[in-house]
Structure formats: C-alpha cells, structure tokens
Amino acid sequence: MSGILDLLDSDLGKQIVSSVSDKTGINPSQASDVVSSSLPALLGAMQGNLLSGNGAEGLINAVTKGKHDGSILDNLSGFINGGDFNDGSKILGHLLGDKLGAVETGISEKTGVSSSIISQILPMLAPIIMGYLGKQSKSNGVSDGAGLGGILGSLLGGSSNDGSSLGGTLLTSALDQNNDGKLDVSDAISAVTKKKGGLGGLLGSLFGKK
C-alpha cells in the first residue's frame, strides 16, 4: 500500500489539488500546501479515533458498509463543483469536535491561506478521504478495525497490520507529537498548529517548501 506522499503525488492527489484550486480561487501552489497539510491531519485523527475506540465502530461501518464506497472518486470535480459539503462537515465534527477550529487556524498559519478558505476546503477533503478508504477497504477485503487500522497505518507510514503501531518512519515520528507511542486527536492538532516543525513542516520540507 502506498503512503500518503505517494497519494499526494498521484493523479488522484493532483486532481484533488486542481479541483480545490478551481473551487476556492486560490492558486495551485497554495492548494497543494493546504491539501498536503490537511490530509495527514485528517488521517491521523481517523487513526486516533480508531485506536482509542471513540467512535471506532461508526468509522468502520461508514468505510466498510456505508456510502463511502469510493464512488466519489469517479467524479471528483463533479462532487466539489456541486457544492454540497454537509456530509464533510459531519465527518469533521465526529473526528475533531471542538478542535476543528484549532486545526483550521493551524493550517492557515502554516500555509498562509485564510482560515475562512481552510474551513471551506476541509469539508471537501473529508468525504474524499473516506471514499478513498472505502475503496481501499473493498479492494483489500477489509471488514473490521484491524484491517482499517492497517490501511491507515500504511498511509501514514507505518508497518503494522493491526494498526496498533505505526512503525518508526519520519512521518510517524512527526505524527506522534506527544511521544506517547500512539496517535490521538491531540497529535493531529499539534501536527498542524506548530508554527515550525511538526507534520506540516515535515511535509513542507519534503515538497521543497520552508
């Protein structure tokens, strides 16, 4: 399974960036910055949600049995141009709760894109990521938390099949912001709210940005 950097550099990743740029009016470079900072934070929050057991069953069912079957990826521009992101807002509410504002502010400070634009982009990205996970789950025959944890762990740079450990890669080290050996929502928040370093800073350096 490819990691998130491969996803961001894939045709799908480029299509996401292009669609976000067209929809919001920010330039492609800014859109790339926002997407590259947002996706790991969302995936990290999902992983923390799964490992903590807080809403894990709902996440598993949504990805493996619900409407997030990957069909959204077949008409990405249609979804984004359609403008209905209520589902994305609900997903963000479940994942981040009252920490959503902190994530929006952190991404804004890191990318230079206004918080008002970030608040438009995150509800676009959440259903796309859920659809991507649904498609991966279907193609890999995943039906439980261990399997979903494996997919998330692989995307985030880990090597565990059960998602209980995310390995020792640079990306993983950046995700585990509080060094407690596991991912949780606080890690996702810290990763994007640090002005320097952290996950967003790591991704920025990998994409040649400072």
Side-chain angles (χ1 to χ4, degrees):
M1 173 99 43
S2 61
I4 192 167
L5 296 179
D6 294 314
L7 170 60
L8 289 166
D9 196 42
S10 68
D11 288 342
L12 174 60
K14 293 173 183 176
Q15 188 179 4
I16 292 172
V17 168
S18 176
S19 297
V20 165
S21 174
D22 290 343
K23 180 66 174 180
T24 61
I26 60 178
N27 66 52
S29 177
Q30 290 176 312
S32 179
D33 288 348
V34 173
V35 172
S36 66
S37 293
S38 300
L39 293 191
L42 294 177
L43 288 166
M46 289 178 186
Q47 179 73 292
N49 180 288
L50 187 65
L51 297 181
S52 69
N54 182 25
E57 183 177 356
L59 178 62
I60 295 165
N61 287 337
V63 170
T64 62
K65 301 176 183 178
K67 61 184 177 180
H68 301 289
D69 57 1
S71 58
I72 190 174
L73 305 180
D74 296 331
N75 186 18
L76 203 56
S77 60
F79 161 68
I80 291 180
N81 290 327
D84 183 1
F85 308 122
N86 289 329
D87 187 47
S89 296
K90 291 177 182 177
I91 293 170
L92 292 173
H94 287 304
L95 288 177
L96 298 171
D98 60 3
K99 303 297 192 299
L100 176 59
V103 171
E104 292 172 346
T105 299
I107 295 172
S108 174
E109 291 178 349
K110 197 168 292 293
T111 62
V113 176
S114 71
S115 292
S116 62
I117 297 294
I118 303 298
S119 68
Q120 295 176 41
I121 294 174
L122 289 180
M124 299 178 196
L125 298 179
I128 294 171
I129 286 299
M130 290 289 283
Y132 181 80
L133 291 175
K135 185 173 183 178
Q136 291 295 323
S137 296
K138 184 177 181 180
S139 64
N140 287 279
V142 167
S143 60
D144 56 21
L148 181 57
I151 292 174
L152 286 167
S154 181
L155 278 168
L156 292 168
S159 58
S160 172
N161 290 327
D162 62 6
S164 60
S165 172
L166 296 181
T169 66
L170 268 174
L171 187 55
T172 299
S173 298
L175 281 166
D176 185 14
Q177 295 289 301
N178 55 16
N179 298 313
D180 63 356
K182 64 180 181 179
L183 287 178
D184 47 42
V185 172
S186 66
D187 289 321
I189 305 302
S190 297
V192 295
T193 54
K194 287 186 176 180
K195 289 181 179 295
K196 294 183 179 180
L199 178 59
L202 173 66
L203 286 171
S205 67
L206 288 172
F207 279 86
K209 303 180 186 302
K210 297 180 179 179

